[in-house]
Amino acid sequence: MILIIGGAWQGKLTFAMELAESAGKNMELDGNKLFDPLNVNSVPCITGHQLDTQGYPLDSSISKNEKEEEHEIAEGSRDSFEAALTCPIIHGLHEYIRRLLKEGKSVDAFLDEVQRQNPDVIITSDELGCGIVPFDPADREWREASGRASVRLARISREVYRMVCGIATQIK
């Protein structure tokens, strides 16, 4: 397991894709190929959503036929919890945690399943603890649960990176 943490829009997804490629995860994954971050003509498809080489959403007018390669990435804000158990990259773990809390599900049980079923996954998560403490109790609970999840995953991950301004620093 590899954990990548940092602020929003700092390049975590692009870095995760680079790590996946360097780890040899550029093989076919259920018919989809991993995105080549060094090939600017390659546009990943993340569970139906297209991103540019920096991880920003593209205009939806690009058809699936125009993409050269695809990624299989579990997107925390919209993909099923089951997707996180099989995809080589989980992007936005903090959003999975938000959804788990809203649905009254256990974050620890989810993390246990990810660890058990997807031990080589690369996980990105936004750092939520560096800003103003939210007024809303639910937002404070989400922030705390996300922080605790990051601590837990950092302990069991073989590598942990902190992303700032597109620069990854290995902290474990």
PDB file of all heavy atoms in Angstrom, residues 19 28 52 62 72-73 84 91 95 101 116 133 141 157:
ATOM      1  N   LEU A  19       3.375   6.522 -10.085  1.00  0.00           N
ATOM      2  CA  LEU A  19       3.796   5.404  -9.241  1.00  0.00           C
ATOM      3  C   LEU A  19       3.242   4.084  -9.754  1.00  0.00           C
ATOM      4  O   LEU A  19       3.948   3.075  -9.763  1.00  0.00           O
ATOM      5  CB  LEU A  19       3.353   5.629  -7.798  1.00  0.00           C
ATOM      6  CG  LEU A  19       4.081   6.696  -7.004  1.00  0.00           C
ATOM      7  CD1 LEU A  19       3.435   6.859  -5.621  1.00  0.00           C
ATOM      8  CD2 LEU A  19       5.557   6.370  -6.867  1.00  0.00           C
ATOM      9  N   GLU A  28      -2.785  -4.517 -18.761  1.00  0.00           N
ATOM     10  CA  GLU A  28      -4.224  -4.403 -18.966  1.00  0.00           C
ATOM     11  C   GLU A  28      -4.934  -4.662 -17.636  1.00  0.00           C
ATOM     12  O   GLU A  28      -4.618  -5.593 -16.915  1.00  0.00           O
ATOM     13  CB  GLU A  28      -4.689  -5.429 -19.995  1.00  0.00           C
ATOM     14  CG  GLU A  28      -4.177  -5.162 -21.380  1.00  0.00           C
ATOM     15  CD  GLU A  28      -4.949  -4.089 -22.098  1.00  0.00           C
ATOM     16  OE1 GLU A  28      -6.147  -3.913 -21.819  1.00  0.00           O
ATOM     17  OE2 GLU A  28      -4.349  -3.421 -22.953  1.00  0.00           O
ATOM     18  N   ASP A  52      -7.301  15.762 -17.657  1.00  0.00           N
ATOM     19  CA  ASP A  52      -6.119  16.074 -18.443  1.00  0.00           C
ATOM     20  C   ASP A  52      -4.893  15.513 -17.728  1.00  0.00           C
ATOM     21  O   ASP A  52      -5.015  14.833 -16.718  1.00  0.00           O
ATOM     22  CB  ASP A  52      -6.002  17.581 -18.701  1.00  0.00           C
ATOM     23  CG  ASP A  52      -5.725  18.397 -17.448  1.00  0.00           C
ATOM     24  OD1 ASP A  52      -5.409  17.811 -16.390  1.00  0.00           O
ATOM     25  OD2 ASP A  52      -5.816  19.627 -17.537  1.00  0.00           O
ATOM     26  N   ILE A  62     -15.186  15.229 -25.408  1.00  0.00           N
ATOM     27  CA  ILE A  62     -14.231  14.258 -25.939  1.00  0.00           C
ATOM     28  C   ILE A  62     -14.852  12.876 -25.827  1.00  0.00           C
ATOM     29  O   ILE A  62     -15.247  12.450 -24.757  1.00  0.00           O
ATOM     30  CB  ILE A  62     -12.890  14.307 -25.178  1.00  0.00           C
ATOM     31  CG1 ILE A  62     -12.234  15.670 -25.372  1.00  0.00           C
ATOM     32  CG2 ILE A  62     -11.973  13.186 -25.642  1.00  0.00           C
ATOM     33  CD1 ILE A  62     -10.960  15.840 -24.595  1.00  0.00           C
ATOM     34  N   GLU A  72      -8.012   2.677 -14.373  1.00  0.00           N
ATOM     35  CA  GLU A  72      -9.048   2.131 -13.516  1.00  0.00           C
ATOM     36  C   GLU A  72      -8.796   2.676 -12.124  1.00  0.00           C
ATOM     37  O   GLU A  72      -7.893   2.227 -11.424  1.00  0.00           O
ATOM     38  CB  GLU A  72      -9.002   0.607 -13.534  1.00  0.00           C
ATOM     39  CG  GLU A  72     -10.256   0.001 -13.002  1.00  0.00           C
ATOM     40  CD  GLU A  72     -10.293  -1.487 -13.223  1.00  0.00           C
ATOM     41  OE1 GLU A  72      -9.703  -1.965 -14.191  1.00  0.00           O
ATOM     42  OE2 GLU A  72     -10.914  -2.158 -12.391  1.00  0.00           O
ATOM     43  N   ILE A  73      -9.567   3.689 -11.762  1.00  0.00           N
ATOM     44  CA  ILE A  73      -9.360   4.417 -10.515  1.00  0.00           C
ATOM     45  C   ILE A  73     -10.693   4.513  -9.779  1.00  0.00           C
ATOM     46  O   ILE A  73     -11.702   4.882 -10.367  1.00  0.00           O
ATOM     47  CB  ILE A  73      -8.811   5.832 -10.791  1.00  0.00           C
ATOM     48  CG1 ILE A  73      -7.446   5.731 -11.456  1.00  0.00           C
ATOM     49  CG2 ILE A  73      -8.740   6.644  -9.501  1.00  0.00           C
ATOM     50  CD1 ILE A  73      -6.890   7.042 -11.934  1.00  0.00           C
ATOM     51  N   ALA A  84     -13.262   0.425  -4.575  1.00  0.00           N
ATOM     52  CA  ALA A  84     -12.037   0.661  -3.802  1.00  0.00           C
ATOM     53  C   ALA A  84     -11.338  -0.636  -3.416  1.00  0.00           C
ATOM     54  O   ALA A  84     -10.155  -0.628  -3.097  1.00  0.00           O
ATOM     55  CB  ALA A  84     -12.355   1.469  -2.551  1.00  0.00           C
ATOM     56  N   HIS A  91      -8.622   7.302  -5.433  1.00  0.00           N
ATOM     57  CA  HIS A  91      -8.412   8.754  -5.453  1.00  0.00           C
ATOM     58  C   HIS A  91      -9.499   9.422  -4.608  1.00  0.00           C
ATOM     59  O   HIS A  91     -10.685   9.271  -4.876  1.00  0.00           O
ATOM     60  CB  HIS A  91      -8.465   9.276  -6.885  1.00  0.00           C
ATOM     61  CG  HIS A  91      -8.337  10.763  -6.983  1.00  0.00           C
ATOM     62  ND1 HIS A  91      -7.261  11.444  -6.460  1.00  0.00           N
ATOM     63  CD2 HIS A  91      -9.140  11.693  -7.528  1.00  0.00           C
ATOM     64  CE1 HIS A  91      -7.411  12.741  -6.703  1.00  0.00           C
ATOM     65  NE2 HIS A  91      -8.555  12.909  -7.338  1.00  0.00           N
ATOM     66  N   GLU A  95     -13.175  11.509   0.561  1.00  0.00           N
ATOM     67  CA  GLU A  95     -14.562  11.557   0.080  1.00  0.00           C
ATOM     68  C   GLU A  95     -15.285  10.239   0.343  1.00  0.00           C
ATOM     69  O   GLU A  95     -16.481  10.228   0.626  1.00  0.00           O
ATOM     70  CB  GLU A  95     -14.614  11.923  -1.397  1.00  0.00           C
ATOM     71  CG  GLU A  95     -14.179  13.344  -1.688  1.00  0.00           C
ATOM     72  CD  GLU A  95     -15.091  14.403  -1.079  1.00  0.00           C
ATOM     73  OE1 GLU A  95     -16.233  14.100  -0.664  1.00  0.00           O
ATOM     74  OE2 GLU A  95     -14.655  15.567  -1.020  1.00  0.00           O
ATOM     75  N   LEU A 101     -19.566   8.061   6.558  1.00  0.00           N
ATOM     76  CA  LEU A 101     -20.144   8.698   7.736  1.00  0.00           C
ATOM     77  C   LEU A 101     -21.593   9.089   7.495  1.00  0.00           C
ATOM     78  O   LEU A 101     -22.453   8.890   8.365  1.00  0.00           O
ATOM     79  CB  LEU A 101     -19.317   9.920   8.145  1.00  0.00           C
ATOM     80  CG  LEU A 101     -17.905   9.630   8.656  1.00  0.00           C
ATOM     81  CD1 LEU A 101     -17.135  10.930   8.854  1.00  0.00           C
ATOM     82  CD2 LEU A 101     -17.932   8.799   9.930  1.00  0.00           C
ATOM     83  N   ARG A 116      -7.322  -5.765   3.373  1.00  0.00           N
ATOM     84  CA  ARG A 116      -7.381  -7.206   3.138  1.00  0.00           C
ATOM     85  C   ARG A 116      -7.484  -7.549   1.649  1.00  0.00           C
ATOM     86  O   ARG A 116      -6.769  -8.414   1.157  1.00  0.00           O
ATOM     87  CB  ARG A 116      -8.572  -7.801   3.891  1.00  0.00           C
ATOM     88  CG  ARG A 116      -8.641  -9.318   3.862  1.00  0.00           C
ATOM     89  CD  ARG A 116      -9.777  -9.859   4.716  1.00  0.00           C
ATOM     90  NE  ARG A 116     -11.102  -9.596   4.187  1.00  0.00           N
ATOM     91  CZ  ARG A 116     -11.634 -10.233   3.137  1.00  0.00           C
ATOM     92  NH1 ARG A 116     -10.955 -11.141   2.501  1.00  0.00           N
ATOM     93  NH2 ARG A 116     -12.848  -9.936   2.733  1.00  0.00           N
ATOM     94  N   VAL A 133     -11.131  25.180  11.723  1.00  0.00           N
ATOM     95  CA  VAL A 133     -11.986  24.122  12.243  1.00  0.00           C
ATOM     96  C   VAL A 133     -13.430  24.422  11.829  1.00  0.00           C
ATOM     97  O   VAL A 133     -13.934  25.515  12.082  1.00  0.00           O
ATOM     98  CB  VAL A 133     -11.873  24.024  13.780  1.00  0.00           C
ATOM     99  CG1 VAL A 133     -12.838  22.980  14.329  1.00  0.00           C
ATOM    100  CG2 VAL A 133     -10.443  23.718  14.189  1.00  0.00           C
ATOM    101  N   GLU A 141     -16.513  15.981  12.476  1.00  0.00           N
ATOM    102  CA  GLU A 141     -16.403  14.525  12.581  1.00  0.00           C
ATOM    103  C   GLU A 141     -15.710  13.948  11.346  1.00  0.00           C
ATOM    104  O   GLU A 141     -14.855  13.073  11.463  1.00  0.00           O
ATOM    105  CB  GLU A 141     -17.795  13.899  12.734  1.00  0.00           C
ATOM    106  CG  GLU A 141     -17.759  12.384  12.836  1.00  0.00           C
ATOM    107  CD  GLU A 141     -19.141  11.757  12.843  1.00  0.00           C
ATOM    108  OE1 GLU A 141     -20.145  12.443  12.568  1.00  0.00           O
ATOM    109  OE2 GLU A 141     -19.204  10.540  13.104  1.00  0.00           O
ATOM    110  N   SER A 157       1.281   1.439   5.535  1.00  0.00           N
ATOM    111  CA  SER A 157       1.756   1.619   4.161  1.00  0.00           C
ATOM    112  C   SER A 157       3.259   1.417   4.081  1.00  0.00           C
ATOM    113  O   SER A 157       3.990   1.783   4.996  1.00  0.00           O
ATOM    114  CB  SER A 157       1.415   3.023   3.661  1.00  0.00           C
ATOM    115  OG  SER A 157       0.027   3.178   3.527  1.00  0.00           O
TER     116      SER A 157
END
